[in-house]
Amino acid sequence: MARLLLIETSTTVCSVALSDSGNVVALREVNNGYAHAENLTLFCDAVLKEAGIPFQQLDGIAVSQGPGSYTGLRIGLSAAKGFAFALNMPLITISTLEAMAWGMRDEAAGALLCPMIDARRMEVYCAQFNPDLSEVHAPEAIVVEQDTFAALLKSQPVLFSGDGMPKCRTILEQFPNARFTEKGMPTAAHLAQPAEKYFQESRFADLAYCEPFYLKEFNAGKPKQV
């Protein structure tokens, strides 16, 4: 059983939670467009004070590793690594899509789980999981078109969620096997149970070498002429 600080900054949501034995006991989050740098450390302090637990009594730090926002991932992982190093605690990194799937699992009802993270235009980052959370299809960046999930949806029900789902819903809901839920949205709360599982299995990240999982390489655009 572990007390873990949970950090989710892979999308526009800045979310921090404290878990005890896989149960969320405090949560702070805001979704106002990439305000991670302004809110992250304040939220960490707030959840610990709410629970009455000092940093030194934590057992570890867990953070979403991506895919997602390049800036958000860098901020979240940098903070998590700093806490873990300063406090000499283990660091747990968890796929953002896996954490989202954990949030969806109670509504699976036999369906394949497909969490989606919003990317540009009709592109999403997504992965597919069985109801037992085993990975069926690794994370990938795809542009959702009329036939993208056609073959899959003809063979079995698929439950879609995440902040990338709404823009794809019109295309997907033409298939009878397509199902939708709001319960897979990115939040630190969804890190609680996989983080507890990883902690018990001693699946810890290497502080010196772990990096964000961007999925796609970052391409900096040219600055606009003023």
Side-chain angles (χ1 to χ4, degrees), residues 57-80:
Q57 290 184 13
L58 291 171
D59 295 302
I61 313 293
V63 62
S64 58
Q65 190 177 14
S69 156
Y70 299 110
T71 301
L73 290 172
R74 287 196 297 272
I75 292 171
L77 185 58
S78 295

Side-chain angles (χ1 to χ4, degrees), residues 17-161:
L18 180 69
S19 67
D20 189 342
S21 306
N23 299 306
V24 174
V25 296
L27 174 69
R28 292 287 188 282
E29 59 187 7
V30 65
N31 186 1
N32 60 0
Y34 301 111
H36 308 101
E38 295 90 334
N39 293 306
L40 181 55
T41 55
L42 296 176
F43 286 178
C44 292
D45 184 60
V47 297
L48 289 169
K49 285 182 176 177
E50 179 180 334
I53 298 172
F55 265 104
Q56 292 76 8
Q57 290 184 13
L58 291 171
D59 295 302
I61 313 293
V63 62
S64 58
Q65 190 177 14
S69 156
Y70 299 110
T71 301
L73 290 172
R74 287 196 297 272
I75 292 171
L77 185 58
S78 295
K81 290 174 72 171
F83 291 144
F85 179 79
L87 298 166
N88 193 28
M89 292 178 180
L91 175 68
I92 298 167
T93 57
I94 300 171
S95 160
T96 307
L97 292 165
E98 180 186 351
M100 293 165 66
W102 276 84
M104 301 164 61
R105 72 194 187 285
D106 289 344
E107 296 195 4
L112 204 64
L113 305 176
C114 186
M116 292 178 158
I117 296 172
D118 191 16
R120 293 183 177 182
R121 300 181 179 86
M122 287 303 293
E123 188 176 39
V124 296
Y125 303 135
C126 67
Q128 294 159 24
F129 300 84
N130 283 318
D132 65 1
L133 280 305
S134 59
E135 187 178 86
V136 175
H137 196 95
E140 63 177 342
I142 61 172
V143 176
V144 178
E145 299 175 332
Q146 293 293 329
D147 61 348
T148 302
F149 290 95
L152 181 64
L153 286 166
K154 285 179 181 178
S155 63
Q156 64 187 115
V158 181
L159 182 65
F160 296 94
S161 189

Side-chain angles (χ1 to χ4, degrees), residues 140-208:
E140 63 177 342
I142 61 172
V143 176
V144 178
E145 299 175 332
Q146 293 293 329
D147 61 348
T148 302
F149 290 95
L152 181 64
L153 286 166
K154 285 179 181 178
S155 63
Q156 64 187 115
V158 181
L159 182 65
F160 296 94
S161 189
D163 63 358
M165 176 267 288
K167 69 181 183 182
C168 305
R169 185 162 184 162
T170 301
I171 292 175
L172 298 171
E173 62 188 3
Q174 65 180 304
F175 299 98
N177 273 334
R179 302 175 185 171
F180 307 92
T181 179
E182 298 293 324
K183 290 193 174 181
M185 296 297 177
T187 172
H190 293 334
L191 293 169
Q193 293 193 24
E196 178 70 19
K197 181 176 184 291
Y198 279 33
F199 185 87
Q200 298 304 328
E201 295 172 353
S202 298
R203 293 169 60 179
F204 303 138
D206 187 317
L207 272 178

